[in-house]
Structures are given as structure tokens and as C-alpha cells.
Amino acid sequence: MKKILIITILISAFSAVQAQEGFLRGIVIDGETGEGLLGATISQQGTSNGVPADFSGGYSLTLPVGVHTIEYRFFSYQTKVVSDIEIKEGEVTLLDVTLGASTTELAEVVVTAKTIRDNEVALLAVQKKSANTMDGISAQSFKKIGDGNLAGAMKRVTGVAVQEGKYVYVRGLGDRYTKTTLNGMSLPGLDPDRNDVQIDIFPTSILENVMVFKTFTPDLAGDFTGGVVNVETKGFPEEKTTKITLGVGYNPDMHFKSDFVTYDGGNTDFLGFDDGTRKLPFDPQTEIPDVSLRDPELENLTKSFNGQMAAKNKTSFMNTKFAISHGNQVNKGKYDIGYGAIFNYQNNIEYYQDAAFGIYTKDPDKDENRLFTQKTRQGQLGTNNVMWSALLNGAIKFDNHELFASFLRTQNGISQASKRLTRDVEQTSQDLNDDILTYTQRSVSNIMIGGKHSFDKLSVKWSNALTFARTYDPDFRVTNIAIVPTSIGGEGHVRYSISSGDGGGIRRFYRDLNEWNENIKADLTYDLSEKNKLKGGFEVLYKSRVFDLHSYFIRRGSENNVENDPNWFLQDDNIWSATNPDGTYVSGGYEAANNYEAKSSVIAAYAMSDMKVTEKLRAIYGVRVEKADMYYTGHDVARGIEYNDEHTLNEINVLPSLNLVYSVSENMNIRTAYGRTLARPSFKEKSIAQILDPISGIFFNGNLDLEQTNINNYDLRVENFFGAGDMFSISGFYKSFDGHIEMVTYDVERSNVTPRNLGSSSVFGVELELRKKLINGFSAGTNLSFAKSKVDTRTVIVNDNLGTTEYDSRVNNARNGETIDTDRAMAGQAPYLINAFVNYADQEGRTNISLAYNVQGENISIVGIGATPDVIVKPFNSLNFNAYRDFGPNGSSRVTFGVNNILAAEKKFVYQNNGTEATYSTFKPGRTFSLKYAYTF
């Protein structure tokens, strides 16, 4: 009995001691390199209680409850003593500390804990010590400005623009010239017509930082020139935290509108994927019998289609959001185990009551500057955009090793309905009622494992990522019913027609793109001496893609007298049969030219050195070698050519680079860089594919003779980090392109496009950035970019038979007295970008108010040819407000209020020719007010 009592007392005492302890965790950063400082000691002043930092600089120190002073030390580095660190019972206090190199003049530095807790300051420290010229945005900035997804956040980065709400342009260069990676690993694209990644699929709630590398070093993949956008997801958590967020958004022009247009989808639309409701109802290889054969199977196939073809009205709801996250770090002896889980769900509604579209050409009369109207379209457009993402990650640290694994799934479903009136001015001089019903399903699944290991002077980092991506467009339905005046029944009477001669028609199509990537990387770093670090490694990237497109026409035996109701056509009584030859039937089917398979591999190795030439001059130089292969399987029916695993690309590329960093002072750098990079054609571009896009009516023609683009990149930058969170930088850059790739429109058949290598092209520009903390919690900043690009239009062939160039075509269609330049800007290249913000944060960190502005200058969206003028993106003046307030115990509750598009700016694209403009598309998004509540425990 006495033994039991003693054991009970001991256990109780031990528990009491444990309960009166807390944890101090963080990272010790090397001020010279911006990396974690392996072996730094973290100790409680005046005691023997201390721990070493692991190979990534991380530490976890157990301390009794109370206020402490902690010493951070490392041999030949300046000691930092941090006072007033409060430790609470059972809780984790987070503190990252930077140690600078010691000098004889400097003693230890004593600071308080409050002065160094800043995410943005840590990001600037990495930027200051980076081998590359880089910019970035942190999770703290996401919260301040209130951007919900990465597309919104990226617009805040110097020299970065976002086109169409999802495509990144760095220094005015997008598509193939900007690369997006996830935690340093390659990502597949989600658009069959582009080479880049759609970044709107990443909510900011799962992101830690976004880094934009603007200069090349050999440890980066060589297929970029604008920049590499590296998206870093949240990693090893420092403390146990659970957070739940609920939010709503209200737009007076879009929400609670009874005339919102939509259509009936599947039962799982609210989860972002189709449940099979829109699936093609028969095997894609099924041969559709010709109507002349009077085959009863034609009736069965036609009846199998979903009969809904018309958009319907329904009251729209608000935007809604839900998110939950949980993470923890557990210490098990010499093992630190961390795990995290994040789930984010958004359901957004957009409604445009008067979306406008137009097709215009130059007037045949060369004395006339006014653009000639071909078609105008105006009407309602309703969109329901559902997106969710789930991130699971875990890591274990022991000694000088870390193993980690993560899984990311992003799912997006976009249901869209449109009801509009089309006026065909040029061809039929008639009006058409258009009903368009679409659904796009996008998904990315990423599994990644990796490790970091430190062996004295050698460190090793490796990772393997497997990514599956899909873009699935099931059952796009387009109905065009022509309104034809008729003399029957008297003046003003009309009949309805789906005859192509009247401009009418009904189409349905199914498009599916599946791609998977496997990316393997290994990096080895060896500290040759205090002033020279050697780095080398290899990378393997394998890609495989399958693309399918199946297109069908809905026709009738009698197309000239039909009802003005899209749903009428597939009603049972109106479907074709042997006894109803005037009824509705399906035609079309599998077309080999619209489908292809492709695969590629890139095997790379590199070697580089990071050397301090003098105390102030740092040189980062090396070379990367890439072996690239591409294979294509497809069928050109028109020319009777069939390829099976045709070897379409076989290149070995040697890519040197040199980056010099001169430290004028501890906080001021001058950077200069040269690097050779490249851009490769996409699967579809380097092929014999002949694919009709049923939405735009554009006919794509592949080009097997297409070659990769080689680019020489030159950069100069001066940067001054003159205070905690304060910085100024000015950059200049120049890029010359050999074989720049652009989509070229044919001079005669302007609905046909093909990719071509152009001749001489270049881009040069200047970037400026300023961030400054002001008085009483206020801070402000701006970044400006000015760029100019040149494409020699005399090298752009638009007619192979005649050898006509784009310059010839522009001259032949110029207005009288109009001067045509031989050069034009690259598509997507804005002449200027402006970002600015003003921010207020109180001393306690509980209140934050931010006002952010963004605009970019006019740029070419679609390059015109012949009588078709260029399509220009007009400036969109984006002004957004965001404010949050923390309250409750330890600030556990947060309320956030935001207003997007305060100026009610319009999204406008216009045809532009010799000072004259006409509408290509106009959307009025109005203002959106958002309210969120988050609870952390």
C-alpha cells in the first residue's frame, strides 16, 4: 500500500512539473545565406538548459512557465540575446532568429521578442541572401490583403501580371515562358491549348510562401525565361492548432437575382465534379448511322442524349466558404514528428446580366477608320464555380535528417449557362437566340515524398513527386436558333430555323485531357571551405498526356420550321424515326484527327559553385545539361498520315549561368546575372493534330517542324534592405529570343491557326519596388514595372503559298495615311504594371487594415491578321479593401471584412485599329463585399 502511495505521489509530481512547462520553437537563420543554421545552440540564460538547431535550423526548447531570456549562439557568428520571451503552460511560443557573421567591432546583440516576429521580414531576409534575383509574397501578406486564391495574390508581386484570372505572366512573358512549380516540383497544365498552369486552383489558405525566381541558376529547370513561380504549401507545424473558418460574399449585381441563368446538373456538382449525368451516353467509338440508311439505331442513339438544351432562371445565392485546418508537432525523444491537414471549400456565383461580345473587321473602304461589324452578342451569363482542396502532410526529424510526405488534391467544377441574342450583320443579316450550357471539371492530385540529410560538410536533398491532372468538359451544349423574317402571316412575322444557311445549328461536344507527371530530383551541397560551396544534382521529368475530343451535331429532317425552344428538339415526339423523317437526329462521332497521345522526358544534371570571391563579392556560376525527348501518336485523316510514338523532339541543351552579388553594405546588394534558357513546344504544337475548338470555331493545325526557342537573359539589380520590413530595389533586364514561338493566324482562312518560330524578338524593361514602415503602425509600398517587347513582323509567315508576312498583310489592309511599323509587341506584354498598398497594424497585432491597388497597361490579347484588327486588353483598375480584428482569449477569434473592386471597374477587351475601338467582350463584375469568421483553438 505504501509503495502504491509513493508511486502515485511521484506520478502526480511529475505531471505537475510537466503541466508547468511550455515550448519555445522556431528556426535559426544564417544571416549570410538566408538558410537554416545547423548546430546553432539555443539556451536559457543562466542555466544549462539548451538544445542544438537541426540541419534546417529548427529547434524546440522546453522551458518552465514564465518570462525568459534566451541566448542564440554559433561559432564565428554574432550572439543574439532575446529577452521578454513569455512561456505559457502547455503552449508553444514561436520565434525565428537570424544570426549574422561576427566582427571584432560587434558585441552580442540584445533585442526583445516582439521586435523580430514578422513573416514578411523573414521572406525579405531570404530575398536578400538569395543566389537568384527573386521576389515573393508570404502567407502574412495573403491575410492582410485578403486574396482568396493564388491568382489574386500573384498580382501583388513585382513584375507579375495575371491574365484571364488564372495565367501568370512574369515580366510580360507567359504561357511557355513562365514555369510554375509546387514545392520545387513540376506541375502539369490543365488547359489543352496552353503550356502554363492555371494558378486559380490554389487557395491561399494552403500556401506558406510564393517565390518568383527571375534569374536562372543551374539548380532550376531550364525551360523558362520570364520566371519560375514556386508555390510552397504549408509544411512542418510548430504548434498544435485547429482552425475553422466560415465566410460569405455578397455582390449586389450578382446575388439574389431571380433571373440568374443556370441549368440542371448532377447531384455532385456541389462537390466540384460530375456524377455521370453529363457523360457521353454511348461508347465514343460508336459509329453513328447516316440518316439516309433509315437505321432504327439512330433513333435510340438520339434519344440517349440528355434533353435539356435551354438555360433556365433561378434565384442566385451568395458566395460561401468553409475551411478547417489542424496541425501539431510532437516531440518523441530524439524524434520530432509534425503533421498537418487542411481542407478548403468555396462555392462562388457570378452573374452578368449584359455580357457583351463582338466580331469586327477593318472596313473594305481604306478611307474609313470605323470598324465593320460582323456579329454582336449580348445577354445573360451565369457561372457557379465550386472549388475545394485538401492538403495532408507529415514529417519526422531526427539527428540531422528529415523525411517528409504530402498529398494535395484540388478539385474544381465550373457550371455555366448563357442566354443571349446574336446579330449576324455580315452573312445572314439575321438575329439568333443562343443557349449555351457548359461544364468544366479540373483536378490536380499530387503525391510527394522526400528527405533532407546532413553529413558534416555534405547535405543531401531529394524528392519524388507524382502528379495526376485532368480537365474534363462533358457535354458542352450550344443551340443557335435563327429568327428568320417571313411574309407568311403578314408583316413582322418570323419563323425559326436551325439551318446552317440561316446561321443556326445545334452542337454537343465532349473533351477530356488526362496528364500525369513524375518528377525526381536530388541536390547535393558540399561546403568546400568557408568561402566556397559546391552544389550538384540531377533531375528526371516524365510526362504523359491523352487528349480526346468528340463532337456531334443535332440536326432535323426539316430544319426551317422549328420551335423557339431549345428543349423542344429532343422531346420524344420530335425525335427522328422511320415514321417521322422530319424529326431530330444526331450526326458526327469519333474523328481521329481530334485525338492524340503524347509523352516526353527531360533528363538533367548540373554543377555549380557559390563562392565568395572577396568579402563583398559573391559569384554563383555553373552549367546545366538537359536531354529532352518528345513522342507523338496521332492521325492526320486529310493527308492520310498516321504516327505511332513518333520521335518529334530530340535535343541536348547546355545551359550556362553566372550570377554576381556585390554587397555594398550589410543591407545593400548589387546583382548582375546572365543565363541561357529555353522554351519547348507543347505536345499539341509539335504534332500533326488538326483540332477544331467547337466553342471558338478556331481550327488548330500542329507543326512538326516547330523548334524550341533559345533565350539569352541579362539582369541588373540594386537592392537596399534598410530596415525590418523596409526595402528598395531597382532592376533592369534584357532578353533576346532565337525562334520565339507564337500562334499565327492564316492570312486567307483566319479561322485557322498554327504555331510558328518567329525571327528576331526581344524584351527589355525596368522594375522598381519600395516598402516602408511609417509611423503609428502604418506601412506603405509600391512596385512598378515598365517593359517593351519587339517582334519583327517581317519574319512572321501568314501565307505559305505566297510567302506573305504579317507585315505585308498589315500594310495591305492599312488605312490611307496609316503608318505600319515593322515591329509589334509580344502578345500579353503589358507596357507597365503598377501595384500599391497602404497598411495599418496595431502594436498588439490584433487589428490590420489594408488597401491595395493593381493595374496593368494595354496589351495584345489576340494578334490580328489581314482585315482582322488586334484584340487589346484594356486596363482594369483594381482597388481592394481588407480589414480584420482578433478578439477573445489569445486572439482566438478573427472577423475579416473585405470589399473587392471598389471602383466597379469593367473587364474590357476591344478591337483596336488606327485609333478606333470596338467591343470584343465586356463584363461588369461590380463590387463584392465579404465577411469571414475564423476560430482558432
Side-chain angles (χ1 to χ4, degrees):
M1 183 69 181
K2 185 182 292 185
K3 290 182 179 180
I4 295 175
L5 181 61
I6 292 173
I7 291 172
T8 302
I9 292 172
L10 289 174
I11 291 174
S12 300
F14 179 76
S15 300
V17 171
Q18 290 289 96
Q20 294 173 11
E21 292 179 338
F23 303 93
L24 176 65
R25 291 174 180 163
I27 299 174
V28 182
I29 300 168
D30 185 339
E32 293 296 296
T33 66
E35 301 173 350
L37 191 57
L38 168 66
T41 58
I42 303 92
S43 59
Q44 180 184 0
Q45 192 176 59
T47 73
S48 60
N49 182 23
V51 294
D54 62 27
F55 70 97
S56 61
Y59 70 92
S60 179
L61 179 63
T62 303
L63 293 167
V65 171
V67 177
H68 300 278
T69 298
I70 304 298
E71 296 180 354
Y72 296 82
R73 297 178 180 272
F74 191 69
F75 177 73
S76 78
Y77 280 68
Q78 186 179 22
T79 297
K80 184 167 287 187
V81 180
V82 184
S83 60
D84 298 333
I85 299 176
E86 184 178 3
I87 301 297
K88 297 182 180 180
E89 184 177 327
E91 295 185 10
V92 175
T93 299
L94 302 177
L95 193 59
D96 296 342
V97 171
T98 299
L99 296 185
S102 179
T103 65
T104 55
E105 291 83 7
L106 294 176
E108 65 182 24
V109 176
V110 180
V111 295
T112 62
K114 289 182 181 179
T115 64
I116 54 178
R117 294 175 183 169
D118 196 324
N119 234 3
E120 291 177 343
V121 173
L123 185 61
L124 286 177
V126 173
Q127 185 175 330
K128 178 170 67 173
K129 298 301 180 181
S130 172
N132 312 72
T133 298
M134 62 167 289
D135 292 295
I137 186 168
S138 68
Q140 188 180 48
S141 296
F142 300 154
K143 295 174 184 177
K144 286 181 179 179
I145 298 174
D147 293 312
N149 64 51
L150 183 56
M154 286 304 301
K155 293 185 293 186
R156 319 296 173 193
V157 181
T158 306
V160 175
V162 177
Q163 301 278 8
E164 300 178 39
K166 53 191 172 185
Y167 298 114
V168 176
Y169 281 66
V170 179
R171 293 177 163 176
L173 298 166
D175 201 1
R176 75 190 76 254
Y177 296 123
T178 294
K179 187 179 184 69
T180 301
T181 58
L182 180 66
N183 297 318
M185 306 299 278
S186 177
L187 274 175
L190 287 169
D191 190 326
D193 300 319
R194 296 181 63 101
N195 302 276
D196 43 1
V197 175
Q198 300 179 8
I199 62 168
D200 61 325
I201 62 172
F202 295 108
T204 53
S205 61
I206 69 169
L207 306 182
E208 187 64 37
N209 292 306
V210 180
M211 304 288 195
V212 181
F213 299 97
K214 295 180 177 178
T215 58
F216 172 64
T217 50
D219 53 347
L220 296 175
D223 55 339
F224 79 94
T225 186
V228 174
V229 179
N230 186 41
V231 181
E232 298 181 357
T233 56
K234 292 186 181 296
F236 203 94
E238 300 291 350
E239 59 181 330
K240 184 177 182 180
T241 304
T242 302
K243 182 178 181 180
I244 298 175
T245 303
L246 298 172
V248 294
Y250 171 67
N251 186 313
D253 297 327
M254 296 185 178
H255 300 143
F256 301 111
K257 297 295 182 181
S258 60
D259 56 352
F260 175 73
V261 286
T262 184
Y263 72 103
D264 296 327
N267 294 325
T268 56
D269 280 11
F270 77 100
L271 295 176
F273 62 89
D274 180 60
D275 63 356
T277 297
R278 302 175 179 88
K279 182 181 178 182
L280 183 65
F282 45 78
D283 191 302
Q285 303 292 331
T286 300
E287 185 174 345
I288 307 294
D290 189 271
V291 67
S292 63
L293 299 176
R294 302 176 66 82
D295 188 338
E297 182 62 16
L298 181 60
E299 178 183 0
N300 296 330
L301 292 172
T302 304
K303 283 185 175 180
S304 67
F305 281 98
N306 187 316
Q308 185 179 12
M309 299 295 292
K312 69 174 189 178
N313 295 118
K314 179 182 178 181
T315 300
S316 58
F317 193 58
M318 292 190 299
N319 298 337
T320 55
K321 178 180 181 178
F322 168 75
I324 183 169
S325 62
H326 175 74
N328 193 15
Q329 182 181 143
V330 180
N331 300 105
K332 295 290 185 181
K334 65 177 183 178
Y335 297 98
D336 290 333
I337 301 171
Y339 64 88
I342 301 172
F343 177 78
N344 183 86
Y345 176 87
Q346 300 175 58
N347 192 328
N348 295 330
I349 300 290
E350 286 189 355
Y351 177 47
Y352 299 98
Q353 290 180 310
D354 54 354
F357 308 85
I359 300 177
Y360 292 82
T361 61
K362 300 174 185 178
D363 197 288
D365 183 355
K366 292 188 178 182
D367 287 324
E368 180 62 68
N369 281 323
R370 179 184 60 86
L371 291 171
F372 179 75
T373 307
Q374 284 191 317
K375 286 184 181 180
T376 61
R377 299 184 175 104
Q378 191 158 2
Q380 302 163 286
L381 177 64
T383 303
N384 184 194
N385 189 335
V386 175
M387 180 185 297
W388 62 263
S389 60
L391 174 66
L392 302 173
N393 55 37
I396 181 170
K397 294 181 180 180
F398 56 97
D399 297 328
N400 295 327
H401 306 279
E402 177 182 349
L403 299 174
F404 58 87
S406 68
F407 172 75
L408 171 67
R409 170 75 178 192
T410 295
Q411 184 74 42
N412 179 216
I414 304 173
S415 176
Q416 193 171 82
S418 178
K419 202 172 190 66
R420 67 193 187 194
L421 178 67
T422 293
R423 297 188 183 277
D424 190 335
V425 177
E426 184 185 45
Q427 294 185 347
T428 64
S429 300
Q430 289 168 178
D431 293 346
L432 297 95
N433 288 324
D434 299 337
D435 282 70
I436 303 173
L437 313 178
T438 69
Y439 189 79
T440 296
Q441 177 180 313
R442 302 182 296 170
S443 63
V444 173
S445 298
N446 175 269
I447 303 170
M448 182 175 175
I449 59 172
K452 301 175 184 178
H453 314 275
S454 180
F455 308 94
D456 193 19
K457 293 184 177 183
L458 176 68
S459 62
V460 179
K461 180 180 178 181
W462 62 272
S463 52
N464 185 2
L466 188 62
T467 306
F468 298 88
R470 185 188 190 195
T471 298
Y472 178 42
D473 301 322
D475 203 3
F476 275 34
R477 313 168 205 181
V478 181
T479 304
N480 309 117
I481 301 176
I483 307 169
V484 184
T486 178
S487 58
I488 300 175
E491 186 177 351
H493 282 253
V494 296
R495 63 176 175 85
Y496 299 100
S497 167
I498 60 168
S499 169
S500 58
D502 294 321
I506 302 176
R507 294 171 294 160
R508 302 177 81 137
F509 71 92
Y510 304 76
R511 187 166 63 177
D512 200 0
L513 180 149
N514 289 273
E515 183 172 321
W516 69 271
N517 291 6
E518 183 164 18
N519 194 189
I520 302 170
K521 288 179 66 175
D523 301 290
L524 292 82
T525 304
Y526 182 74
D527 294 329
L528 187 63
S529 67
E530 288 186 9
K531 295 185 177 182
N532 195 356
K533 183 184 294 184
L534 302 179
K535 188 174 182 181
F538 70 89
E539 180 173 6
V540 177
L541 173 62
Y542 183 83
K543 294 183 179 183
S544 179
R545 173 183 287 191
V546 178
F547 177 76
D548 296 302
L549 173 63
H550 306 284
S551 184
Y552 301 89
F553 292 91
I554 303 298
R555 305 188 187 278
R556 282 184 59 81
S558 175
E559 296 182 330
N560 292 318
N561 286 287
V562 299
E563 294 294 322
N564 186 28
D565 176 10
N567 291 334
W568 175 85
F569 293 92
L570 289 174
Q571 292 173 0
D572 286 348
D573 292 343
N574 299 320
I575 289 180
W576 178 94
S577 68
T579 58
N580 183 19
D582 290 338
T584 305
Y585 63 90
V586 63
S587 67
Y590 176 79
E591 295 182 21
N594 286 340
N595 303 268
Y596 68 89
E597 297 181 15
K599 59 186 180 182
S600 70
S601 65
V602 178
I603 301 173
Y606 74 90
M608 59 184 287
S609 173
D610 187 342
M611 181 173 62
K612 291 193 72 173
V613 182
T614 68
E615 286 302 314
K616 289 183 175 292
L617 180 61
R618 178 184 174 197
I620 304 98
Y621 58 92
V623 66
R624 183 182 183 94
V625 179
E626 295 190 349
K627 173 69 169 68
D629 295 277
M630 189 180 295
Y631 300 86
Y632 174 81
T633 298
H635 194 184
D636 182 346
V637 178
R639 290 177 282 185
I641 302 173
E642 184 172 358
Y643 287 143
N644 185 18
D645 255 3
E646 180 73 12
H647 201 171
T648 56
L649 183 70
N650 182 6
E651 295 280 354
I652 296 178
N653 301 107
V654 179
L655 307 173
S657 81
L658 172 65
N659 287 256
L660 298 175
V661 183
Y662 182 77
S663 299
V664 179
S665 65
E666 182 181 353
N667 294 317
M668 184 176 179
N669 296 323
I670 299 176
R671 298 176 178 270
T672 183
Y674 164 77
R676 183 185 302 158
T677 57
L678 54 87
R680 298 186 178 97
S682 70
F683 288 130
K684 189 175 76 168
E685 290 171 338
K686 196 167 179 61
S687 73
I688 57 169
Q690 295 176 296
I691 300 173
L692 174 66
D693 186 334
I695 298 177
S696 65
I698 299 297
F699 205 99
F700 172 86
N701 295 269
N703 181 1
L704 272 178
D705 296 325
L706 199 64
E707 298 179 353
Q708 66 183 22
T709 306
N710 297 302
I711 308 109
N712 288 307
N713 306 272
Y714 306 87
D715 286 82
L716 177 66
R717 178 169 179 153
V718 179
E719 54 191 19
N720 189 358
F721 302 85
F722 53 88
D726 298 340
M727 66 92 67
F728 170 78
S729 69
I730 179 168
S731 309
F733 60 90
Y734 175 78
K735 301 175 184 293
S736 62
F737 297 75
D738 179 14
H740 166 58
I741 300 174
E742 263 194 13
M743 206 63 64
V744 176
T745 305
Y746 288 90
D747 185 34
V748 179
E749 297 193 27
R750 290 190 289 273
S751 61
N752 282 255
V753 298
T754 189
R756 291 189 187 274
N757 293 108
L758 309 187
S760 174
S761 304
S762 63
V763 178
F764 62 92
V766 176
E767 298 172 336
L768 299 97
E769 181 173 12
L770 174 65
R771 302 186 202 180
K772 183 72 179 75
K773 289 187 176 181
L774 307 175
I775 60 172
N776 300 324
F778 283 92
S779 60
T782 184
N783 59 71
L784 314 172
S785 300
F786 304 93
K788 184 175 179 61
S789 61
K790 294 196 302 181
V791 173
D792 188 342
T793 59
R794 294 169 297 184
T795 67
V796 184
I797 305 298
V798 298
N799 189 315
D800 289 319
N801 295 327
L802 300 177
T804 306
T805 66
E806 181 184 331
Y807 177 73
D808 297 330
S809 180
R810 288 179 180 269
V811 170
N812 293 338
N813 290 273
R815 307 297 89 183
N816 289 332
E818 181 183 3
T819 300
I820 303 297
D821 293 330
T822 57
D823 298 327
R824 63 161 169 82
M826 288 181 176
Q829 174 75 65
Y832 65 85
L833 291 168
I834 301 174
N835 289 302
F837 73 88
V838 177
N839 193 84
Y840 168 77
D842 65 357
Q843 289 186 345
E844 294 77 21
R846 288 183 170 238
T847 301
N848 192 92
I849 302 171
S850 178
L851 191 66
Y853 174 77
N854 166 266
V855 68
Q856 63 175 315
E858 289 186 359
N859 60 89
I860 300 174
S861 174
I862 302 173
V863 178
I865 202 71
T868 303
D870 295 331
V871 176
I872 304 296
V873 184
K874 300 294 286 184
F876 180 84
N877 290 279
S878 172
L879 182 63
N880 299 329
F881 171 83
N882 193 72
Y884 65 76
R885 172 70 179 174
D886 294 341
F887 59 94
N890 300 318
S892 58
S893 292
R894 172 175 290 182
V895 173
T896 304
F897 173 73
V899 185
N900 278 358
N901 196 24
I902 294 173
L903 302 177
E906 296 182 3
K907 296 179 179 179
K908 196 167 186 178
F909 292 66
V910 299
Y911 290 98
Q912 196 175 85
N913 179 63
N914 201 29
T916 304
E917 293 183 349
T919 298
Y920 176 81
S921 67
T922 301
F923 298 95
K924 300 176 182 178
R927 301 178 183 89
T928 300
F929 303 86
S930 61
L931 184 66
K932 289 190 297 185
Y933 171 74
Y935 179 64
T936 303
F937 58 95

